[in-house]
C-alpha cells in the first residue's frame, strides 16, 4: 500500500476573499468605492488559514448554556469558544454591525454590506448578532430618547462581551425575540403580555420560542400591551446592575448555524421600555426585519460565492481520467452555471444595499423600489442557496461530503436564510401585499428593471405584468421568482460582461430556471465566465 499522497487538492488559503470582480464593480457603482482599501484588508484576513481555523473551531465547540452559578444563583449566560470572540471582534472592529448609522457618508450601508459579504464567507453563524445589531437601530429610532441612549454603544467598534449595565459597556449587541410556540410567523397570535408600571416602563410576562442570539445585551421584543401588540426594548441587565427577569430555558439544537446560540426564553415581569406606539409593534419592528432580510440576501450570496470558490479551486487542482476537472466540458458547464447564480446574487444584494443607503437618506423612489425588490430578492436568492451549496459540494465528490472540507457546514447553513425573518411563503406573500397595496412601489420596480433596454427584458416584464394582473395568493411564489429573475437579468445586462448576462438570460428567463445546474445550452462563453472567479 502506498502512503505517498498524490492528486489531493491543496488548502484554499492565502487569498483575498474580496478579489471578486462583481463585488468590486458594485462597490464603486453604488457609491462606496472609498471603502475599497478596508474591504481588501478584510478580504485578505478572511483568506488566511488563521481566520478559517476560527470558523472551524467556533462550529466544533458550540455555545453552552449556564443557567446557574456554582452557588445556585440564576445567571442565564451562554459560553463561547475563544474562536467565536475572535470572529466577533473582527466583525465589530470593521463596522459590520451598526456603525453605518453613525456615519454621515454616502455609501456607508453599501460598504458595510460588502464587508458583511466577505467576512460571512469565513463563518456564517456569528453574522446573526452582527446583523441584528445593525438592524435594531432602524426600529429603535421610533423612540428617539432610547435611540439617543443606546445608539452610541450599539455603533461602537469595540466588542465588549459580558452582561453588565449599559453605563459599564464600551459596546453592546442587540438581539430579537418575536415568535412564540403557538404563532411562529403569525406574531399577532403572541400571548406575552406587557403591563404598564406607571414609571414609563412595562413588565413583560410570557415566552419566546426563538430568541435569536440570547447572549446579547438588549433585545427588541413583541408583546401584548393594553393598546395591542407593541414593540419593546428589553435589556439583559437593568441600569442598577441587577439581572432582568429573562430566563434562558434551553438552546436550540439546530441543523446548522451551530456556532451561534438560539434560545427558548421565559419572562417573569421583565422590565422593558416601549419602542414606538402601543398597538403598532409590527410596524415598528418591521424596520428591523427589513434590515435583517437584506442580510439574509447578503448571507446567501456570500454562501454561494464561498461554495463556488471552493468548487473551482478543487477543479483547478484535481485530476480525473487524465485531465484536470476544470478542463472537462461537463464540469466546466456546472461551474459556469454556479458562477452565473453567484454573480446574479451578488449584483442584486449590492443593488439592494445601495437602495437601502439612499432610502435611509430620504430618496422616496429608492425606498419604494427596495420595498418590492427586497421581498422578491429575499425569497429567490435565499431559496437558491441550498441547491447551489449542494451542487458545489458535489463538485468535490466524496471529499465534499467529509466535514474537513467545510462543505457540509456550508450545506447545513444554506437553508437558514430562507427561513429566518420569514420563510419562503411569508416573503412571497409580503411581495404580494406590496404589489397590491403600494402600486407606486411596483412601478418603481418596473422602472428599475426597464433601465435595461433589451428585448429579453421587455418580454419578461410583459410576462410578469400579465401574471401580476391575475395573481392570487397561490401564485405568489411564481411571481416572486419571475420578478427576482428579471431584476437579476436587468442588472447583469447593465453591469456584467455580455458573456455573463447572455448566459444568464438564456438559461433563466422564460421558465428555464428549474433545470439542474450544469444544463447550460450551447453558446455561452464558459472561458469568460470562469475567468471572473
Amino acid at each position: 500500500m502506498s502512503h505517498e499522497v498524490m492528486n489531493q487538492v491543496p488548502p484554499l488559503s492565502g487569498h483575498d476573499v474580496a478579489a471578486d470582480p462583481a463585488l468590486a464593480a458594485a462597490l464603486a457603482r453604488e457609491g462606496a468605492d472609498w471603502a475599497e482599501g478596508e474591504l481588501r484588508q478584510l478580504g485578505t484576513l478572511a483568506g488566511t488559514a488563521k481566520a478559517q481555523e476560527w470558523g472551524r473551531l467556533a462550529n466544533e465547540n458550540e455555545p453552552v448554556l449556564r443557567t446557574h452559578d456554582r452557588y445556585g444563583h440564576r445567571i442565564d449566560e451562554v459560553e463561547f469558544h475563544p474562536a467565536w470572540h475572535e470572529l466577533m471582534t473582527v466583525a465589530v472592529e470593521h463596522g459590520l454591525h451598526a456603525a453605518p448609522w453613525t456615519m454621515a457618508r454616502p455609501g456607508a450601508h453599501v460598504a458595510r454590506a460588502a464587508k458583511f459579504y466577505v467576512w460571512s464567507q469565513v463563518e456564517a453563524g456569528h453574522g446573526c448578532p452582527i446583523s441584528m445589531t445593525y438592524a435594531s437601530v432602524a426600529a429603535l429610532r421610533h423612540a428617539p430618547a432610547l435611540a439617543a441612549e443606546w445608539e452610541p454603544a450599539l455603533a461602537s467598534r469595540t466588542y465588549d462581551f459580558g452582561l453588565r449595565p449599559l453605563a459599564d459597556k464600551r459596546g453592546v449587541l442587540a438581539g430579537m425575540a418575536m415568535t412564540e410556540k403557538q404563532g411562529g410567523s403569525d406574531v399577532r397570535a403572541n400571548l406575552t403580555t406587557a403591563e404598564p408600571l406607571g414609571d414609563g416602563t412595562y413588565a413583560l410576562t410570557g415566552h419566546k420560542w426563538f430568541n435569536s442570539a440570547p447572549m446579547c445585551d438588549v433585545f427588541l421584543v413583541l408583546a401584548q400591551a393594553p393598546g395591542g401588540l407593541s414593540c419593546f426594548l428589553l435589556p439583559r441587565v437593568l441600569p442598577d446592575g441587577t439581572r432582568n427577569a429573562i430566563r434562558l430555558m434551553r438552546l436550540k439544537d439546530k441543523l446548522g448555524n451551530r456556532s451561534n446560540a438560539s434560545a427558548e426564553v421565559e419572562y417573569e415581569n421583565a422590565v422593558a421600555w416601549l419602542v414606538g406606539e402601543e398597538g403598532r409593534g409590527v410596524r415598528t419592528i418591521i424596520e428591523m426585519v427589513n434590515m435583517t432580510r437584506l442580510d439574509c440576501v447578503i448571507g446567501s450570496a456570500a454562501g454561494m460565492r464561498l461554495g463556488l470558490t471552493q468548487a473551482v479551486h478543487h477543479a483547478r487542482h484535481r485530476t480525473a481520467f487524465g485531465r484536470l476537472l476544470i478542463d472537462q466540458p461537463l464540469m466546466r458547464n456546472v461551474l459556469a452555471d454556479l458562477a452565473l447564480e453567484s454573480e446574479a446574487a451578488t449584483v442584486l444584494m449590492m443593488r439592494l444595499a445601495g437602495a437601502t443607503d439612499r432610502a435611509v437618506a430620504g430618496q422616496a423612489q429608492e425606498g419604494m423600489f427596495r420595498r418590492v425588490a427586497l421581498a422578491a430578492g429575499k425569497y429567490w436568492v435565499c431559496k437558491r442557496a441550498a441547491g447551489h451549496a449542494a451542487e458545489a459540494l458535489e463538485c468535490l465528490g466524496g471529499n465534499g461530503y467529509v466535514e474537513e472540507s467545510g462543505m457540509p457546514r456550508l450545506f447545513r447553513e444554506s437553508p437558514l436564510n430562507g427561513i429566518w425573518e420569514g420563510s419562503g411563503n411569508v416573503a412571497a406573500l409580503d411581495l404580494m401585499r406590496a404589489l397590491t397595496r403600494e402600486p407606486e412601489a411596483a412601478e418603481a420596480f418596473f422602472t428599475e428593471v426597464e433601465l435595461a433596454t433589451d428585448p429579453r427584458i421587455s418580454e419578461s416584464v410583459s410576462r410578469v405584468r400579465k401574471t401580476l394582473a391575475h395573481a392570487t395568493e397561490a401564485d405568489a411564489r411564481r411571481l416572486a421568482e419571475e420578478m427576482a429573475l428579471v431584476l437579476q437579468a436587468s442588472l447583469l445586462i447593465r453591469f456584467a460582461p455580455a458573456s455573463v448576462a447572455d448566459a444568464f438570460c438564456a438559461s433563466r428567463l422564460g421558465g428555464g430556471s428549474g433545470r439542474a445546474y450544469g444544463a447550460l445550452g450551447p453558446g455561452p462563453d464558459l472561458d469568460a465566465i470562469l475567468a471572473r472567479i
Side-chain angles (χ1 to χ4, degrees):
M1 179 181 293
S2 171
H3 290 281
E4 182 180 358
V5 177
M6 299 179 293
N7 197 28
Q8 284 288 337
V9 176
L12 175 58
S13 63
H15 63 296
D16 179 2
V17 175
D20 179 337
L23 181 68
L27 187 75
R29 185 169 64 245
E30 299 294 343
D33 49 351
W34 51 265
E36 181 180 2
E38 54 187 283
L39 177 65
R40 298 303 291 265
Q41 179 188 19
L42 184 61
T44 300
L45 177 59
T48 62
K50 175 177 67 175
Q52 294 171 15
E53 182 69 355
W54 290 341
R56 183 187 71 81
L57 289 171
N59 278 273
E60 291 188 2
N61 298 273
E62 298 177 20
V64 176
L65 173 62
R66 304 295 186 195
T67 57
H68 296 77
D69 68 11
R70 60 180 292 192
Y71 304 106
H73 301 122
R74 187 98 198 198
I75 58 173
D76 296 288
E77 294 185 2
V78 185
E79 292 181 355
F80 290 85
H81 188 272
W84 167 272
H85 298 300
E86 296 282 6
L87 293 163
M88 291 292 293
T89 297
V90 172
V92 172
E93 288 181 348
H94 283 266
L96 275 62
H97 61 318
W101 295 105
T102 58
M103 297 174 64
R105 189 168 192 176
H109 292 271
V110 174
R112 180 260 172 194
K115 289 189 284 187
F116 189 79
Y117 169 89
V118 165
W119 193 240
S120 292
Q121 294 180 52
V122 175
E123 202 288 309
H126 81 291
C128 175
I130 294 297
S131 176
M132 288 185 298
T133 302
Y134 167 65
S136 67
V137 176
L140 194 57
R141 289 185 171 180
H142 285 268
L146 289 175
E149 181 182 4
W150 285 88
E151 268 193 45
L154 288 166
S156 167
R157 294 203 180 201
T158 300
Y159 174 60
D160 187 6
F161 184 79
L163 297 180
R164 298 186 300 281
L166 175 62
D168 297 338
K169 298 276 292 189
R170 294 171 297 158
V172 300
L173 298 174
M176 178 168 56
M178 291 198 297
T179 61
E180 299 182 3
K181 297 185 186 77
Q182 72 284 344
S185 295
D186 183 9
V187 294
R188 296 192 185 278
N190 283 5
L191 300 176
T192 296
T193 60
E195 179 184 353
L197 296 178
D199 61 355
T201 64
Y202 290 71
L204 269 59
T205 300
H207 82 281
K208 295 296 171 184
W209 191 231
F210 280 92
N211 186 147
S212 298
M215 62 286 187
C216 288
D217 301 281
V218 66
F219 304 93
L220 289 182
V221 178
L222 290 179
Q224 299 286 358
L229 188 64
S230 306
C231 181
F232 295 90
L233 181 80
L234 185 72
R236 286 293 312 272
V237 181
L238 296 172
D240 64 3
T242 60
R243 299 281 175 103
N244 209 351
I246 304 170
R247 309 298 182 222
L248 308 188
M249 306 309 292
R250 63 172 178 171
L251 300 185
K252 296 289 193 180
D253 186 8
K254 298 171 291 186
L255 168 67
N257 204 246
R258 308 290 294 189
S259 68
N260 178 46
S262 303
E264 297 167 20
V265 302
E266 291 185 359
Y267 309 132
E268 301 175 10
N269 292 315
V271 179
W273 283 258
L274 181 66
V275 180
E277 301 174 23
E278 279 195 13
R280 296 178 65 85
V282 173
R283 285 182 175 272
T284 301
I285 209 166
I286 201 68
E287 299 284 350
M288 182 178 187
V289 171
N290 280 334
M291 291 296 177
T292 48
R293 283 178 177 172
L294 170 62
D295 279 3
C296 289
V297 180
I298 299 171
S300 291
M304 289 184 188
R305 179 68 185 182
L306 173 60
L308 170 66
T309 304
Q310 291 284 3
V312 170
H313 175 75
H314 181 86
R316 284 174 174 160
H317 292 87
R318 180 77 167 181
T319 299
F321 309 111
R323 288 183 296 175
L324 286 171
L325 290 174
I326 194 72
D327 294 329
Q328 302 198 25
L330 196 53
M331 178 60 80
R332 291 175 67 76
N333 197 304
V334 171
L335 294 172
D337 211 356
L338 292 173
L340 294 177
E341 197 73 37
S342 174
E343 183 155 350
T346 300
V347 296
L348 177 55
M349 72 93 174
M350 288 295 280
R351 178 65 184 93
L352 291 171
T356 297
D357 230 315
R358 292 181 280 276
V360 168
Q363 296 186 28
Q365 181 75 6
E366 286 290 273
M368 290 187 292
F369 162 74
R370 180 178 177 272
R371 174 68 182 92
V372 171
L374 180 58
K378 199 278 184 188
Y379 170 81
W380 184 241
V381 174
C382 298
K383 189 64 67 181
R384 294 290 279 176
H388 194 279
E391 196 68 56
L393 182 155
E394 189 175 326
C395 289
L396 277 64
N399 290 318
Y401 204 69
V402 174
E403 287 291 340
E404 291 173 325
S405 72
M407 300 303 280
R409 171 154 57 101
L410 174 65
F411 182 67
R412 287 192 298 270
E413 194 76 23
S414 63
L416 175 61
N417 287 315
I419 298 170
W420 193 34
E421 305 301 26
S423 59
N425 284 351
V426 172
L429 291 172
D430 184 47
L431 174 63
M432 287 285 289
R433 280 192 296 273
L435 293 170
T436 55
R437 298 178 186 177
E438 304 172 50
E440 68 279 7
E443 288 310 310
F445 174 87
F446 289 118
T447 297
E448 169 75 21
V449 167
E450 290 169 341
L451 290 173
T453 54
D454 185 287
R456 295 168 296 188
I457 295 298
S458 299
E459 292 172 10
S460 296
V461 168
S462 178
R463 283 195 300 271
V464 171
R465 286 188 180 276
K466 288 179 181 177
T467 301
L468 179 58
H470 305 287
T472 66
E473 282 193 5
D475 301 309
R477 281 185 174 230
R478 181 162 60 94
L479 185 63
E481 175 180 336
E482 290 177 350
M483 293 183 71
L485 286 170
V486 72
L487 176 56
Q488 288 180 320
S490 174
L491 292 168
L492 292 175
I493 288 169
R494 285 181 278 156
F495 304 126
S499 57
V500 173
D502 291 344
F504 184 89
C505 291
S507 57
R508 269 69 169 176
L509 298 185
S513 63
R515 293 193 295 263
Y517 288 106
L520 298 176
D525 186 347
L526 302 187
D527 290 337
I529 295 170
L530 292 173
R532 291 175 63 75
I533 303 168

